[in-house]
Amino acid sequence: RRKLARLSELRQDEPVDFQYPHEHPNCACFLVKLGQEASGGIGPQSDVVAFSSLCAHMGGPLAGLYKPEHKAIGPCPNHLSVFDLRRHGMVVSGHGTQTLPQVVLELDGDDVYATGVMGLIYGFHDNKVAG
């Protein structure tokens, strides 16, 4: 369980970058308040979600490619995959065949916590944190 942000400080359509579940550059993730209800979303509007910033297809970098008008991320610079952030990171176009790994979030008061990952972070054989 890792604290990521305060709900009251999140601004709609302004992604917040973080690393999870490992403190490793390839575990780049982002948290975003979409302003629309989303599958797996938290908060009063169920619109706060988090995902891996690496394309599920071949690990291409997605950081900075959030499209607020579509509530999607992409296209991946490698093979043009685009992922719908309202629908568990579902592939909407491109070569991707798996959803973008979604970070499971929990709200405790005003604090947003990451508690797990649905899907496998690209480049890892599991999402477990050594300990």
Side-chain angles (χ1 to χ4, degrees), residues 24-120:
H24 187 283
N26 287 346
C27 287
C29 296
F30 66 96
L31 173 74
V32 64
K33 179 177 176 51
L34 299 173
Q36 293 181 12
E37 185 174 345
S39 299
I42 64 164
Q45 297 175 304
S46 300
D47 65 339
V48 177
V49 292
F51 292 89
S52 171
S53 294
L54 297 179
C55 180
H57 178 236
M58 291 184 69
L62 296 172
L65 298 177
Y66 173 63
K67 305 292 189 260
E69 65 276 15
H70 302 294
K71 307 306 179 192
I73 195 161
C76 173
N78 291 349
H79 300 102
L80 306 177
S81 294
V82 175
F83 302 90
D84 186 339
L85 304 181
R86 295 167 298 178
R87 294 178 176 83
H88 289 298
M90 177 180 76
V91 179
V92 293
S93 66
H95 289 276
T97 58
Q98 297 179 5
T99 60
L100 195 60
Q102 185 169 9
V103 177
V104 178
L105 300 175
E106 182 179 291
L107 190 58
D108 185 359
D110 192 41
D111 296 330
V112 177
Y113 289 89
T115 61
V117 180
M118 292 187 299
L120 187 61

Side-chain angles (χ1 to χ4, degrees), residues 2 18-30 51-54 121-122 124 126-127:
R2 181 178 308 152
F18 64 97
Q19 291 178 326
Y20 187 82
H22 311 281
E23 287 295 329
H24 187 283
N26 287 346
C27 287
C29 296
F30 66 96
F51 292 89
S52 171
S53 294
L54 297 179
I121 301 288
Y122 184 84
F124 291 88
D126 65 44
N127 293 330

